[in-house]
Amino acid sequence: MVAEHFDVLIMGAGLSGIDAAYHLQKLCPGKSYVILEQRERIGGTWDLFRYPGIRSDSDMLTMGYSFRPWTHPKAISPGDDIRDYITATAHDEGIERNIRFRHQIKRAAWSSQEAKWTVEAVRTSPGGGEEAVTLTCNFLFSCAGYYRYSAGYLPEFPNASRFQGRMIHPQAWPENLDYTGKRVVIIGSGATAVTLLPAMARTAGHVTMLQRSPTYIISAPEQDKIANWLRRVMPAMWAYRLSRWKNVCFLTLFYRLSQRYPNFVKKRLLKRVQESVGADFDVATHFTPRYNPWAQRLCLVPDADMFEAIKSGRASVVTDHIETFTEKGILLKSGKELQADIIVTATGLVMQALGGADLSVDGQRVDPSKALAYKGVMMSGVPNLASVFGYINASWTLKADLICNYVCRLLNFMDRKGVRQVTPKSGNETAVAPFVENFSPGYIERALASWPKQGSKPPWRVYQDYFRDSILLKWSSIDDGVLEFSNPPEALAAPQPLELAQSAQ
Ligand SMILES: Cc1cc2nc3c(=O)[nH]c(=O)nc-3n(C[C@H](O)[C@H](O)[C@H](O)COP(=O)(O)OP(=O)(O)OC[C@H]3O[C@@H](n4cnc5c(N)ncnc54)[C@H](O)[C@@H]3O)c2cc1C
């Protein structure tokens, strides 16, 4: 049986997958595409995570799509509103009908003879039955995010099984968990922990955030007053564009300042924390990280909600190490015991590239760790494949938009040239850096060895800089001498359409 064929197959119906579909419809209207999504709903991260308080930790004016204004008054937005925004985009743009839910891509095999991918997926029926599905496509676009969906990261805690209360990972939050009046200990100090603390403290008996070491925390207004004012005085799209640029410029400046003058930025950040949490609080112990700002992602808290929870006495922070779990809670190295009814292990994610799918090219298994990343979008030696990995120091969507636009430009260029295959060729370029540099949270460090590497110069560098990427992805010529364009032998033999043959000359 001949497998169903599409020009482009998108893996994942999260923020990036819907972005990719929008761009394809708009910029490559003649292309057929399908989205395979392993889950039952649109939204990816914003549908999966259901813990109390779940929200963005970057502003929605830069995390919204370039083509669809974010019109909610809250710039730091609850997760539900983000999910609704993604779903509404898919609905309004007619993308929904091209999504096949409950299809998990397991492997994809490229054939240079045929210039196409054969993609194998498993379709799960609502009753739990599984069925193998095979599709083919000319171009595979991975929008599968960057972490494993099946389970988050859980370190081995000594004697964890002794604990008699409930242990919960934020990636698998139980529906209807009642923590009213309960003693909660949250292990972790990242974005999830600082979100959970004020949200749970509203009704819990007491919430303790237990951290081995502190993270930089910065408070920002939940509502962007300038953006909200602009929306009142001009059309929504104009206001959105202006606010987006304002925030891109501010964030870029802040990041560059942090890289250049880390001590100055550190002092300013800590001063603001001290002001928020009160003069008596031990900021040196609990909120002063050992690293410089942006060596790990900064945690954004809206309207100082976390500090307010601490000041009110409903929540506290303990900086210590776990000696062992006990029946009643956690015994710390200092000898102190934290008693708990519920322990939340906000210990992070397990990173995963390409949705965990195995790739092969002409029968050879692709080992991403041996490849170089081309513009942070493609991999050396792997034809007709692109993937989205957003920024670590700014909103994910800024880069996703640029990548989607770039892929469409690339596909249109190939059509004009009458070529069906594009492969980044690394030549003499060698790996000199991991995919993400100067950024060391645990989940990134654990995974980087298995990810593609960066070379010494563009286009083999992966920037965390919207302005540089705009030039590299939006304004640079597609045909840069590094991408090799070709046709399979059978296509060469076949007569070319007149129009394509002319433009290829
Ligand atoms: C708790 C949390 C908070 C975050 N907050 C922010 C923030 O404030 N700002 C920001 O910029 N970024 C944030 N991020 C990063 C976040 O992941 C991005 O904002 C964005 O959601 C990424 O979108 P995506 O579509 O690329 O990936 P995802 O949202 O992960 O979606 C990927 C989709 O691909 C599907 N998929 C995966 N593998 C397969 C497969 N093999 N077959 C078929 N389908 C597959 C998944 O089911 C999912 O629907 C946050 C991440 C987390 C975990």
Side-chain angles (χ1 to χ4, degrees), residues 11 71 118 170 173 177 183 325 370 402 446 454:
M11 187 185 330
T71 52
T118 300
W173 198 265
L177 176 78
R183 295 163 303 174
F325 274 47
K370 300 277 190 309
L402 288 177
R446 283 192 295 276
Q454 293 192 58

Side-chain angles (χ1 to χ4, degrees), residues 366-383 385-387 423-435 449-462 482-483:
V366 174
D367 178 353
S369 72
K370 300 277 190 309
L372 290 184
Y374 173 84
K375 296 191 173 186
V377 178
M378 300 175 77
M379 269 195 282
S380 58
V382 183
L385 172 84
S387 64
T423 316
K425 292 283 179 186
S426 54
N428 295 329
E429 190 66 37
T430 50
V432 301
F435 189 84
S450 60
W451 282 56
K453 306 290 180 289
Q454 293 192 58
S456 59
K457 55 183 181 297
W460 304 106
R461 303 294 295 163
V462 182
V482 173
L483 290 182

Side-chain angles (χ1 to χ4, degrees), residues 396-425:
W396 181 274
T397 323
L398 291 172
K399 184 131 185 194
D401 275 338
L402 288 177
I403 292 176
C404 294
N405 182 284
Y406 173 78
V407 167
C408 291
R409 285 177 62 217
L410 175 64
L411 294 174
N412 287 339
F413 175 86
M414 289 168 72
D415 280 355
R416 283 199 304 277
K417 284 289 223 184
V419 290
R420 287 169 47 193
Q421 182 163 303
V422 54
T423 316
K425 292 283 179 186

Side-chain angles (χ1 to χ4, degrees), residues 3 17 22 28 150 164 166 170 204 291 297 314:
Y22 170 86
C28 310
S150 53
Q164 299 291 303
R166 233 176 137 172
Y291 52 85
R297 201 173 164 113
R314 301 189 70 85

Side-chain angles (χ1 to χ4, degrees), residues 11-16 36-39 44-46 49 51 54 56-58 63 103-105 143-147 149 297 355 394-396:
M11 187 185 330
L15 191 71
S16 309
L36 296 193
E37 167 55 53
Q38 65 185 358
R39 306 182 72 243
T45 299
W46 302 103
F49 281 85
Y51 58 77
I54 169 81
S56 64
D57 63 356
S58 66
M63 210 176 119
H103 281 68
Q104 184 177 46
I105 298 180
C143 297
Y146 62 100
Y147 62 88
Y149 266 65
R297 201 173 164 113
S395 284
W396 181 274

